[in-house]
PDB file of all heavy atoms in Angstrom:
ATOM      1  N   ASP A 130     -43.522 115.415  94.296  1.00  0.00           N
ATOM      2  CA  ASP A 130     -44.800 115.597  93.625  1.00  0.00           C
ATOM      3  C   ASP A 130     -45.726 114.428  93.916  1.00  0.00           C
ATOM      4  O   ASP A 130     -45.371 113.268  93.706  1.00  0.00           O
ATOM      5  CB  ASP A 130     -44.564 115.714  92.119  1.00  0.00           C
ATOM      6  CG  ASP A 130     -45.727 116.344  91.375  1.00  0.00           C
ATOM      7  OD1 ASP A 130     -46.856 116.305  91.897  1.00  0.00           O
ATOM      8  OD2 ASP A 130     -45.497 116.869  90.279  1.00  0.00           O
ATOM      9  N   ALA A 131     -46.928 114.731  94.404  1.00  0.00           N
ATOM     10  CA  ALA A 131     -47.912 113.678  94.656  1.00  0.00           C
ATOM     11  C   ALA A 131     -48.597 113.218  93.375  1.00  0.00           C
ATOM     12  O   ALA A 131     -49.312 112.216  93.383  1.00  0.00           O
ATOM     13  CB  ALA A 131     -48.964 114.158  95.655  1.00  0.00           C
ATOM     14  N   GLY A 132     -48.413 113.964  92.278  1.00  0.00           N
ATOM     15  CA  GLY A 132     -48.964 113.545  90.988  1.00  0.00           C
ATOM     16  C   GLY A 132     -50.277 114.210  90.659  1.00  0.00           C
ATOM     17  O   GLY A 132     -50.896 114.903  91.463  1.00  0.00           O
ATOM     18  N   ALA A 133     -50.725 113.974  89.435  1.00  0.00           N
ATOM     19  CA  ALA A 133     -51.916 114.634  88.921  1.00  0.00           C
ATOM     20  C   ALA A 133     -53.186 114.208  89.634  1.00  0.00           C
ATOM     21  O   ALA A 133     -54.141 114.980  89.739  1.00  0.00           O
ATOM     22  CB  ALA A 133     -52.048 114.370  87.421  1.00  0.00           C
ATOM     23  N   ASP A 134     -53.238 112.957  90.130  1.00  0.00           N
ATOM     24  CA  ASP A 134     -54.461 112.494  90.792  1.00  0.00           C
ATOM     25  C   ASP A 134     -54.528 112.929  92.249  1.00  0.00           C
ATOM     26  O   ASP A 134     -55.492 112.616  92.958  1.00  0.00           O
ATOM     27  CB  ASP A 134     -54.572 110.965  90.708  1.00  0.00           C
ATOM     28  CG  ASP A 134     -53.420 110.249  91.406  1.00  0.00           C
ATOM     29  OD1 ASP A 134     -52.499 110.936  91.893  1.00  0.00           O
ATOM     30  OD2 ASP A 134     -53.457 109.009  91.452  1.00  0.00           O
ATOM     31  N   GLY A 135     -53.530 113.686  92.721  1.00  0.00           N
ATOM     32  CA  GLY A 135     -53.538 114.166  94.095  1.00  0.00           C
ATOM     33  C   GLY A 135     -52.882 113.219  95.060  1.00  0.00           C
ATOM     34  O   GLY A 135     -52.365 113.622  96.086  1.00  0.00           O
ATOM     35  N   GLY A 136     -52.931 111.909  94.743  1.00  0.00           N
ATOM     36  CA  GLY A 136     -52.300 110.928  95.599  1.00  0.00           C
ATOM     37  C   GLY A 136     -52.782 111.030  97.025  1.00  0.00           C
ATOM     38  O   GLY A 136     -53.913 111.417  97.317  1.00  0.00           O
ATOM     39  N   THR A 137     -51.924 110.676  97.958  1.00  0.00           N
ATOM     40  CA  THR A 137     -52.213 110.770  99.384  1.00  0.00           C
ATOM     41  C   THR A 137     -51.461 111.965  99.948  1.00  0.00           C
ATOM     42  O   THR A 137     -50.317 112.202  99.575  1.00  0.00           O
ATOM     43  CB  THR A 137     -51.744 109.483 100.096  1.00  0.00           C
ATOM     44  OG1 THR A 137     -52.406 108.367  99.502  1.00  0.00           O
ATOM     45  CG2 THR A 137     -52.060 109.540 101.580  1.00  0.00           C
ATOM     46  N   PRO A 138     -52.087 112.756 100.825  1.00  0.00           N
ATOM     47  CA  PRO A 138     -51.341 113.859 101.446  1.00  0.00           C
ATOM     48  C   PRO A 138     -50.034 113.362 102.057  1.00  0.00           C
ATOM     49  O   PRO A 138     -49.955 112.246 102.581  1.00  0.00           O
ATOM     50  CB  PRO A 138     -52.308 114.370 102.523  1.00  0.00           C
ATOM     51  CG  PRO A 138     -53.663 114.043 101.987  1.00  0.00           C
ATOM     52  CD  PRO A 138     -53.499 112.730 101.275  1.00  0.00           C
ATOM     53  N   PHE A 139     -49.016 114.182 101.993  1.00  0.00           N
ATOM     54  CA  PHE A 139     -47.693 113.778 102.449  1.00  0.00           C
ATOM     55  C   PHE A 139     -47.635 113.722 103.974  1.00  0.00           C
ATOM     56  O   PHE A 139     -47.819 114.737 104.657  1.00  0.00           O
ATOM     57  CB  PHE A 139     -46.630 114.758 101.951  1.00  0.00           C
ATOM     58  CG  PHE A 139     -46.372 114.696 100.476  1.00  0.00           C
ATOM     59  CD1 PHE A 139     -46.610 115.803  99.668  1.00  0.00           C
ATOM     60  CD2 PHE A 139     -45.878 113.536  99.900  1.00  0.00           C
ATOM     61  CE1 PHE A 139     -46.354 115.758  98.308  1.00  0.00           C
ATOM     62  CE2 PHE A 139     -45.623 113.482  98.534  1.00  0.00           C
ATOM     63  CZ  PHE A 139     -45.867 114.584  97.734  1.00  0.00           C
ATOM     64  N   ALA A 140     -47.365 112.554 104.518  1.00  0.00           N
ATOM     65  CA  ALA A 140     -47.071 112.407 105.942  1.00  0.00           C
ATOM     66  C   ALA A 140     -45.575 112.557 106.150  1.00  0.00           C
ATOM     67  O   ALA A 140     -44.776 112.422 105.207  1.00  0.00           O
ATOM     68  CB  ALA A 140     -47.552 111.050 106.449  1.00  0.00           C
ATOM     69  N   GLU A 141     -45.170 112.802 107.385  1.00  0.00           N
ATOM     70  CA  GLU A 141     -43.766 113.072 107.673  1.00  0.00           C
ATOM     71  C   GLU A 141     -42.847 111.897 107.353  1.00  0.00           C
ATOM     72  O   GLU A 141     -41.642 112.101 107.118  1.00  0.00           O
ATOM     73  CB  GLU A 141     -43.601 113.477 109.140  1.00  0.00           C
ATOM     74  CG  GLU A 141     -44.140 114.853 109.470  1.00  0.00           C
ATOM     75  CD  GLU A 141     -45.636 114.883 109.778  1.00  0.00           C
ATOM     76  OE1 GLU A 141     -46.316 113.843 109.561  1.00  0.00           O
ATOM     77  OE2 GLU A 141     -46.131 115.926 110.235  1.00  0.00           O
ATOM     78  N   ASP A 142     -43.385 110.686 107.339  1.00  0.00           N
ATOM     79  CA  ASP A 142     -42.552 109.524 107.019  1.00  0.00           C
ATOM     80  C   ASP A 142     -42.631 109.130 105.551  1.00  0.00           C
ATOM     81  O   ASP A 142     -42.147 108.061 105.159  1.00  0.00           O
ATOM     82  CB  ASP A 142     -42.920 108.337 107.911  1.00  0.00           C
ATOM     83  CG  ASP A 142     -44.394 107.949 107.785  1.00  0.00           C
ATOM     84  OD1 ASP A 142     -45.132 108.608 107.021  1.00  0.00           O
ATOM     85  OD2 ASP A 142     -44.810 106.985 108.467  1.00  0.00           O
ATOM     86  N   ALA A 143     -43.221 109.980 104.711  1.00  0.00           N
ATOM     87  CA  ALA A 143     -43.279 109.710 103.272  1.00  0.00           C
ATOM     88  C   ALA A 143     -41.872 109.763 102.677  1.00  0.00           C
ATOM     89  O   ALA A 143     -40.992 110.466 103.194  1.00  0.00           O
ATOM     90  CB  ALA A 143     -44.176 110.720 102.574  1.00  0.00           C
ATOM     91  N   PRO A 144     -41.617 109.029 101.599  1.00  0.00           N
ATOM     92  CA  PRO A 144     -40.302 109.110 100.949  1.00  0.00           C
ATOM     93  C   PRO A 144     -40.005 110.539 100.502  1.00  0.00           C
ATOM     94  O   PRO A 144     -40.905 111.259 100.067  1.00  0.00           O
ATOM     95  CB  PRO A 144     -40.461 108.176  99.731  1.00  0.00           C
ATOM     96  CG  PRO A 144     -41.572 107.260 100.101  1.00  0.00           C
ATOM     97  CD  PRO A 144     -42.513 108.060 100.943  1.00  0.00           C
ATOM     98  N   LEU A 145     -38.752 110.935 100.634  1.00  0.00           N
ATOM     99  CA  LEU A 145     -38.326 112.267 100.206  1.00  0.00           C
ATOM    100  C   LEU A 145     -37.741 112.153  98.807  1.00  0.00           C
ATOM    101  O   LEU A 145     -36.645 111.635  98.616  1.00  0.00           O
ATOM    102  CB  LEU A 145     -37.309 112.838 101.186  1.00  0.00           C
ATOM    103  CG  LEU A 145     -37.759 112.922 102.652  1.00  0.00           C
ATOM    104  CD1 LEU A 145     -36.684 113.605 103.498  1.00  0.00           C
ATOM    105  CD2 LEU A 145     -39.090 113.628 102.789  1.00  0.00           C
ATOM    106  N   VAL A 146     -38.512 112.632  97.828  1.00  0.00           N
ATOM    107  CA  VAL A 146     -38.093 112.554  96.430  1.00  0.00           C
ATOM    108  C   VAL A 146     -38.254 113.939  95.807  1.00  0.00           C
ATOM    109  O   VAL A 146     -39.126 114.167  94.960  1.00  0.00           O
ATOM    110  CB  VAL A 146     -38.919 111.512  95.647  1.00  0.00           C
ATOM    111  CG1 VAL A 146     -38.294 111.251  94.283  1.00  0.00           C
ATOM    112  CG2 VAL A 146     -39.072 110.218  96.429  1.00  0.00           C
ATOM    113  N   PRO A 147     -37.445 114.890  96.225  1.00  0.00           N
ATOM    114  CA  PRO A 147     -37.623 116.262  95.738  1.00  0.00           C
ATOM    115  C   PRO A 147     -37.357 116.365  94.246  1.00  0.00           C
ATOM    116  O   PRO A 147     -36.458 115.716  93.718  1.00  0.00           O
ATOM    117  CB  PRO A 147     -36.604 117.057  96.538  1.00  0.00           C
ATOM    118  CG  PRO A 147     -35.555 116.060  96.916  1.00  0.00           C
ATOM    119  CD  PRO A 147     -36.286 114.770  97.136  1.00  0.00           C
ATOM    120  N   VAL A 148     -38.154 117.194  93.580  1.00  0.00           N
ATOM    121  CA  VAL A 148     -37.970 117.416  92.148  1.00  0.00           C
ATOM    122  C   VAL A 148     -37.421 118.816  91.871  1.00  0.00           C
ATOM    123  O   VAL A 148     -37.244 119.182  90.710  1.00  0.00           O
ATOM    124  CB  VAL A 148     -39.295 117.225  91.382  1.00  0.00           C
ATOM    125  CG1 VAL A 148     -39.818 115.810  91.558  1.00  0.00           C
ATOM    126  CG2 VAL A 148     -40.349 118.240  91.822  1.00  0.00           C
ATOM    127  N   SER A 149     -37.153 119.577  92.917  1.00  0.00           N
ATOM    128  CA  SER A 149     -36.677 120.946  92.748  1.00  0.00           C
ATOM    129  C   SER A 149     -35.350 121.151  93.469  1.00  0.00           C
ATOM    130  O   SER A 149     -35.000 120.423  94.405  1.00  0.00           O
ATOM    131  CB  SER A 149     -37.706 121.939  93.305  1.00  0.00           C
ATOM    132  OG  SER A 149     -37.805 121.814  94.714  1.00  0.00           O
ATOM    133  N   THR A 150     -34.626 122.177  93.043  1.00  0.00           N
ATOM    134  CA  THR A 150     -33.373 122.537  93.699  1.00  0.00           C
ATOM    135  C   THR A 150     -33.620 122.903  95.158  1.00  0.00           C
ATOM    136  O   THR A 150     -32.876 122.490  96.054  1.00  0.00           O
ATOM    137  CB  THR A 150     -32.722 123.723  92.966  1.00  0.00           C
ATOM    138  OG1 THR A 150     -32.541 123.379  91.593  1.00  0.00           O
ATOM    139  CG2 THR A 150     -31.375 124.070  93.582  1.00  0.00           C
ATOM    140  N   LEU A 151     -34.672 123.677  95.414  1.00  0.00           N
ATOM    141  CA  LEU A 151     -35.008 124.036  96.792  1.00  0.00           C
ATOM    142  C   LEU A 151     -35.206 122.791  97.640  1.00  0.00           C
ATOM    143  O   LEU A 151     -34.648 122.673  98.745  1.00  0.00           O
ATOM    144  CB  LEU A 151     -36.276 124.890  96.823  1.00  0.00           C
ATOM    145  CG  LEU A 151     -36.869 125.157  98.222  1.00  0.00           C
ATOM    146  CD1 LEU A 151     -35.884 125.923  99.089  1.00  0.00           C
ATOM    147  CD2 LEU A 151     -38.196 125.879  98.105  1.00  0.00           C
ATOM    148  N   GLY A 152     -35.986 121.855  97.137  1.00  0.00           N
ATOM    149  CA  GLY A 152     -36.237 120.636  97.891  1.00  0.00           C
ATOM    150  C   GLY A 152     -34.973 119.852  98.179  1.00  0.00           C
ATOM    151  O   GLY A 152     -34.790 119.317  99.280  1.00  0.00           O
ATOM    152  N   ARG A 153     -34.070 119.790  97.206  1.00  0.00           N
ATOM    153  CA  ARG A 153     -32.834 119.034  97.412  1.00  0.00           C
ATOM    154  C   ARG A 153     -31.930 119.703  98.442  1.00  0.00           C
ATOM    155  O   ARG A 153     -31.267 119.022  99.225  1.00  0.00           O
ATOM    156  CB  ARG A 153     -32.119 118.833  96.071  1.00  0.00           C
ATOM    157  CG  ARG A 153     -32.830 117.815  95.163  1.00  0.00           C
ATOM    158  CD  ARG A 153     -32.047 117.526  93.901  1.00  0.00           C
ATOM    159  NE  ARG A 153     -32.165 118.591  92.922  1.00  0.00           N
ATOM    160  CZ  ARG A 153     -33.114 118.674  91.993  1.00  0.00           C
ATOM    161  NH1 ARG A 153     -34.063 117.751  91.936  1.00  0.00           N
ATOM    162  NH2 ARG A 153     -33.136 119.664  91.110  1.00  0.00           N
TER     163      ARG A 153
END
Side-chain angles (χ1 to χ4, degrees):
D130 199 337
D134 62 356
T137 302
F139 290 118
E141 288 85 351
D142 58 359
L145 304 184
V146 191
V148 299
S149 67
T150 304
L151 171 62
R153 288 185 283 271

